[in-house]
Amino acid sequence: MNWIIELLTKQSFAQTIIVFGLVIAFGIWFGKIKIFGVSLGVTWVLFVGLFFSFMGVVVHPELQDFLKEFGLVLFVYTLGLQVGPGFFASLNRNALVTNMLAGFIVLFGVITTLLLYYFSTNSISIMTGIMSGAVTNTPGLGAAQTTMTNLHQSSEETSLVTLAYAVAYPFGVFGIIIAMLLLKKIFKVNIEHETELQNKLANLREDRVISKHLKLENHQLVGKPINAIFEIIKTPIVVSRMFHKGIIITPTPKEILSENDVLLIVASKTTFEQLHLLIGPESDMNLKTALDSNLVSNHVVVTNKNITHKRLGDIPEFNQHDFTFTRLYRAGTQMVPNGNIMLQLGDTVKVVGTKESLERISSVLGNSLKRLEVPDIAPIFIGIVLGIIVGSIPFQIPNIPVPVKIGLAGGPLIIALLLSRFGNQFYLNNYTTNSANLMIRELGITLFLASVGLSSGSKLAAAFEGGNGFYWIGLGIIITIVPLLIVGIVAKHFFKKNFFEICGLLAGASTDPPALAFALKISGNDIPSATYATVYPLTMILRIIAAQLMILFFV
């Protein structure tokens, strides 16, 4: 039995892996416990790590440091890959306003933290830890620790940052939910009425992609190719079906128009005002359900990586006349396909054409979900390497003794966002299935949380001596709730955001999945998810940079 006692107690690589395994396993199990319907999830790994450390468990320090940094990199990189497509797809006027509001939440949180710093006796490092915990932002904690290490701060001070984070975190999660409930009370929100109003507004959205049957009554277009319409209408449109000379076809841009042709057009809602003036009124004919049509439609998933780095217009197989791409779905957004779009792995394309053409196009696009189940690991690690390089670039700021770096939390996140959008152009297909991405992401965050817990728990008792721990909790609650209430009220009264969007904004600006789950539960729809995904990437970057700058300017 001596050998197993030695294995569990003597510092070694094997002992470290066993301890990490136990901490993560127990943390995940405890994370399934719900309090008032809310679970702290993976954050329990941090608390279990603190408990193990408090009980005197010590692991190999060098391996612990490696697992912490590597876990953080895996987490932020896969997070960037997940939210990147939706982030770029949502960069419209409305998203800019939403991101601006999220930026104000971050700014007010920093201002609140600094005010409390000046009126309290806590060091800026402790206040940074409280702030990161109060807004449930783990990468911000990692960035603060990295910056303190670069400034050669003591290990004791670094541990206090982790303890302050751990103490403030649970109340940060519930503070966000409390802010949502307070705003619901302040705005006197009726969920059913709000849902009905939101559905009406969704149908009125000007950028919504719709389809209409238009009858050609403009004699000036008769005898001209469909291209003439495309040249006049500058925004992307698709003619998916056409009733032409008694039959239904999928026309090419060179198809000659005839009087009384009926065109089924897919375009944004605002474009149809021009199309009505140019082509004619809406027709009663329905080409989708016509019994004499030999056309069918299908949704095809892009799984062939060989076509993902080319423009649609440059792929010869797509320049045929017996099918049409009518819609493109990517990361929860819908768009009208055009020749300048580059497909990405995981895109879904709606195709209309003959049965034979759909079979041919499906083989070109791939349409094999099994291919996507095995991720290409090489581009992921190339992206991680680029992220670490970017994160290590020093930026000199006046009056700062050491150069500023966005670090292992910021660099990989930025590169992942960029590669998720532009990687295909450089033959770096970073696509992973949701399950594979979630697996890597959870592995990364659990390694990081277990590491910071195991390195800080020995000082847990000291954190509550003299009431410091409870004092930190109070400060964290203020940092959590005040900025959320201020921006929530501003978003409602000045920017006319509905309650569901505000809930997603608050959860995203706090980078808090449990708060998003609560928002989805009370709203009963997916609107909070869309707002959450819109603000999450920018907020994550701002939180990381804010934590670093607070340490650099005030240490």
Side-chain angles (χ1 to χ4, degrees), residues 315-429:
I315 301 175
E317 292 87 348
F318 296 161
N319 296 323
Q320 306 293 326
H321 68 280
D322 52 358
F323 75 92
T324 304
F325 291 149
T326 61
R327 284 174 172 83
L328 175 64
Y329 303 90
R330 175 181 297 165
T333 61
Q334 181 183 166
M335 58 190 85
V336 179
N338 62 76
N340 291 319
I341 283 182
M342 288 188 176
L343 295 175
Q344 296 183 14
L345 285 178
D347 284 349
T348 298
V349 183
K350 185 177 182 180
V351 188
V352 175
T354 62
K355 183 178 179 180
E356 295 77 15
S357 68
L358 261 62
E359 291 176 354
R360 186 178 70 252
I361 289 305
S362 294
S363 65
V364 175
L365 293 174
N367 203 34
S368 174
L369 293 177
K370 193 171 183 180
R371 291 186 191 177
L372 299 180
E373 292 177 357
V374 182
D376 190 353
I377 297 295
I380 293 177
F381 277 93
I382 290 296
I384 288 175
V385 170
L386 293 174
I388 292 174
I389 292 173
V390 170
S392 302
I393 298 174
F395 298 96
Q396 193 66 53
I397 298 179
N399 299 322
I400 298 295
V402 296
V404 177
K405 300 176 183 177
I406 59 176
L408 297 180
L413 177 64
I414 292 174
I415 291 297
L417 289 171
L418 294 174
L419 289 183
S420 70
R421 175 64 177 84
F422 303 107
N424 289 334
Q425 301 178 27
F426 302 98
Y427 297 87
L428 290 174
N429 291 309

Side-chain angles (χ1 to χ4, degrees), residues 16-33 39-54 57 59 64 67-68 71-72 75 138 141 162-163 165-167 169-170 173 439 441-457 460 514:
T16 300
I17 294 172
I18 289 174
V19 171
F20 266 76
L22 291 173
V23 169
I24 292 172
F26 284 123
I28 296 298
W29 288 334
F30 285 131
K32 297 177 181 179
I33 299 173
S39 168
L40 296 181
V42 74
T43 312
W44 265 104
V45 174
L46 172 63
F47 301 138
V48 174
L50 288 169
F51 177 77
F52 270 55
S53 179
F54 177 74
V57 177
V59 296
Q64 175 182 293
L67 292 174
K68 182 180 75 170
L72 181 63
F75 173 69
T138 306
L141 169 66
T162 302
L163 291 176
Y165 169 91
V167 166
Y169 190 102
V173 174
M439 179 69 179
R441 197 163 76 244
E442 290 292 291
L443 175 63
I445 193 62
T446 53
L447 288 174
F448 175 80
L449 291 173
S451 179
V452 296
L454 287 168
S455 64
S456 307
L460 185 60

Side-chain angles (χ1 to χ4, degrees), residues 109-119 124 127 550 554:
V110 172
I111 292 173
T112 303
T113 304
L114 292 177
L115 288 174
L116 294 174
Y117 163 65
Y118 282 115
F119 289 101
I124 193 63
M127 291 305 303
M550 285 179 61
F554 296 97

